[in-house]
């Protein structure tokens, strides 16, 4: 089951970003030629030779924008970027009395409506205040998928700044069955996204591999030729056109990290106010100061990417009935959408 979880289940979460230490520097002009593995071992804090060599083998050491080999000899003015995996930490989760918005619950599972700004599970930089911290406070003995210690109850996840629905397993049987449904693409997941621009078509399907960028490990790139990354499919359709932005519905067939965010950028329509994928700048519209102020007001009102996990549908693992859940847009998203509707209505 660990392979299933790795391949398809943990969708839309910035898991790997917090697992790396980031270093970037320029080699001094007086540097004598030195093997890069030795150079980094001598200069990076807590960096063993083995740790550095593992990073090089994984392509996490770049010189002048390209992955390097351990025997490369650094030269003056070389630009080096390094991503070192952080040491593992105790996976014990601290219970915290954090309120949960529970949409549905029975003895086998529950559906939680996660607010924007809440991290789903503890990780580097966010060991407390997460959804999992709340779950272990309110519920005892939640199951954990093999290979995913410290994430009891989780079968999938969404980004910190993405709002919406998550299914939580309350028993081993439920978790195994739900993981299988995710793996087989039998879970219906619908997202609402506000994107820049107006797509030419009213609907479409994006089939393009998604994988971590070689230039910035925080960002996911698309690889339509399939040369890198993992298979990813997003179905989308226009819900409402608002002149310079569009409300779209996205249905996930696969669940890759940042899949919707990366795919919509690839389509030429990054999510509104998605700083990681270029949506936090004016991409469409006028140069008038009034319009710029309007956009800034929208950004201030919703200081996150405009993405909401609106619905979940699946076969109940025990009753075998198909169940479906839907949640409305949260306040910030709804308010920005209303502002755009009024702008289109009243502004030329």
């Amino acid at each position: 089951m660990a392979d299933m979880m790795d391949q398809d289940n943990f969708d839309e979460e910035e898991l790997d970003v917090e697992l790396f230490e980031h270093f970037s520097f320029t080699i001094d002009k007086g540097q004598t030629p030195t093997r890069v593995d030795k150079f980094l071992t001598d200069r990076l804090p807590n960096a063993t030779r083995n740790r550095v060599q593992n990073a090089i083998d994984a392509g996490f050491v770049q010189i002048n924008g390209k992955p390097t080999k351990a025997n490369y000899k650094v030269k003056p003015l070389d630009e080096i970027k390094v991503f070192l995996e952080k040491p593992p930490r105790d996976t014990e989760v601290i219970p915290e009395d954090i309120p949960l918005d529970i949409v549905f619950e029975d003895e086998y599972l529950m559906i939680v409506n996660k607010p924007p700004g809440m991290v789903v599970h503890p990780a580097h930089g966010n060991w407390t205040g997460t959804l999992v911290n709340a779950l272990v406070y309110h519920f005892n003995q939640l199951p954990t998928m093999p290979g995913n210690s410290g994430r009891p109850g989780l079968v999938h996840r969404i980004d910190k700044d993405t709002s919406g629905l998550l299914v939580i397993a309350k028993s081993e049987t439920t978790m195994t069955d739900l993981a299988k449904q995710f793996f087989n693409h039998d879970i219906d997941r619908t997202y609402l996204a506000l994107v820049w621009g107006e797509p030419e078509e009213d609907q479409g399907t994006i089939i393009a591999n998604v994988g971590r960028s070689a230039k910035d490990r925080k960002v996911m790139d698309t690889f339509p030729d399939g040369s890198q990354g993992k298979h990813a499919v997003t179905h989308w359709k226009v819900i409402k056109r608002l002149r310079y932005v569009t409300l779209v519905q996205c249905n996930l067939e696969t669940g890759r990290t940042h899949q919707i965010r990366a795919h919509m950028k690839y389509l030429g329509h990054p999510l509104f106010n998605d700083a990681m994928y270029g949506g936090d700048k004016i991409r469409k519209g006028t140069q008038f100061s009034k319009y710029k102020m309007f956009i800034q007001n929208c950004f201030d009102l919703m200081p996150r990417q405009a993405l909401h996990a609106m619905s979940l549908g699946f076969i109940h693992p025990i009753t075998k009935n198909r169940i479906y859940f839907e949640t409305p847009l949260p306040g910030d998203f709804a308010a920005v959408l209303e502002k755009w509707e009024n702008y289109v209505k009243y502004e030329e």
Side-chain angles (χ1 to χ4, degrees):
M1 294 305 299
D3 288 341
M4 288 186 183
M5 184 68 79
D6 176 67
Q7 288 180 19
D8 272 288
N9 292 349
F10 270 4
D11 57 310
E12 297 293 326
E13 175 65 15
E14 300 170 40
L15 171 68
D16 298 320
V17 176
E18 291 85 7
L19 298 182
F20 290 88
E21 294 178 282
H22 300 250
F23 302 93
S24 181
F25 48 90
T26 302
I27 303 299
D28 294 336
K29 291 183 178 181
Q31 175 66 43
T32 57
T34 306
R35 280 177 59 109
V36 65
D37 54 352
K38 183 179 187 307
F39 177 87
L40 293 176
T41 301
D42 292 341
R43 284 163 178 77
L44 296 182
N46 303 315
T48 64
R49 188 74 169 260
N50 186 59
R51 192 175 173 212
V52 169
Q53 288 178 336
N54 286 340
I56 292 172
D57 291 342
F60 292 163
V61 177
Q62 300 171 14
I63 296 182
N64 302 321
K66 296 181 179 179
T68 189
K69 295 183 178 181
N71 61 0
Y72 175 86
K73 293 187 177 181
V74 297
K75 303 186 297 292
L77 303 181
D78 273 347
E79 299 281 345
I80 299 184
K81 286 186 178 181
V82 184
F83 306 90
L84 281 183
E85 286 192 82
K86 293 181 179 179
R89 171 180 164 139
D90 185 356
T91 56
E92 180 182 0
V93 180
I94 302 171
E96 293 182 74
D97 187 5
I98 302 170
L100 291 172
D101 181 1
I102 299 175
V103 175
F104 169 85
E105 182 182 3
D106 63 18
E107 61 182 300
Y108 309 107
L109 59 85
M110 61 185 146
I111 306 296
V112 175
N113 185 24
K114 186 190 81 67
M118 174 183 271
V119 175
V120 171
H121 62 77
H124 291 278
N126 294 288
W127 294 112
T128 60
T130 75
L131 176 65
V132 165
N133 292 106
L135 289 174
V136 297
Y137 177 88
H138 292 288
F139 303 94
N140 293 320
Q141 303 301 316
L142 290 175
T144 300
M145 288 294 294
N148 288 280
S149 298
R151 302 168 194 168
L154 292 188
V155 187
H156 66 136
R157 63 175 184 251
I158 56 179
D159 278 348
K160 171 186 176 182
D161 289 327
T162 298
S163 54
L165 299 179
L166 287 163
V167 58
I168 307 298
K170 296 173 70 175
S171 72
E172 295 284 355
T173 300
T174 301
M175 176 163 278
T176 300
D177 188 281
L178 288 172
K180 184 177 180 180
Q181 291 190 55
F182 271 101
F183 182 73
N184 292 330
H185 313 307
D186 293 332
I187 304 281
D188 293 328
R189 291 170 286 174
T190 300
Y191 290 72
L192 287 178
L194 189 67
V195 303
W196 278 106
E198 289 195 83
E200 292 182 7
E201 306 294 331
D202 288 333
Q203 60 185 1
T205 296
I206 304 169
I207 304 175
N209 281 21
V210 171
R212 203 157 293 282
S213 168
K215 295 181 180 179
D216 186 347
R217 308 303 293 183
K218 297 179 182 180
V219 177
M220 305 302 287
D221 271 347
T222 52
F223 303 93
D225 62 357
S227 61
Q228 299 179 54
K230 294 181 179 181
H231 178 66
V233 180
T234 303
H235 306 284
W236 62 272
K237 68 177 181 180
V238 170
I239 300 299
K240 184 177 291 187
R241 296 179 182 273
L242 296 165
R243 190 175 300 175
Y244 301 130
V245 296
T246 303
L247 183 67
V248 299
Q249 174 181 309
C250 295
N251 290 84
L252 290 179
E253 188 172 311
T254 56
R256 306 308 179 195
T257 301
H258 296 185
Q259 179 173 317
I260 292 175
R261 299 166 68 183
H263 269 179
M264 294 312 296
K265 179 185 178 182
Y266 166 71
L267 199 65
H269 302 285
L271 270 59
F272 188 77
N273 207 15
D274 189 347
M276 193 170 288
Y277 292 89
D280 60 339
K281 304 175 181 64
I282 295 177
R283 303 295 295 260
K284 296 290 182 181
T286 72
Q287 294 300 313
F288 297 127
S289 59
K290 184 178 180 181
Y291 177 72
K292 292 179 180 179
M293 185 177 297
F294 165 76
I295 296 298
Q296 188 58 54
N297 288 339
C298 288
F299 286 169
D300 292 342
L301 190 57
M302 184 173 56
R304 64 180 183 100
Q305 71 267 8
L307 186 61
H308 175 63
M310 181 182 72
S311 71
L312 270 176
F314 54 90
I315 300 296
H316 192 291
I318 307 302
T319 69
K320 301 306 178 183
N321 294 324
R322 187 153 196 89
I323 53 178
Y324 175 83
F325 304 94
E326 189 170 306
T327 185
L329 289 172
D332 60 347
F333 200 146
V336 165
L337 188 59
E338 183 180 8
K339 286 178 73 71
W340 272 105
E341 289 170 339
N342 288 333
Y343 180 86
V344 171
K345 183 176 180 180
Y346 298 113
E347 297 291 332
E348 295 184 355

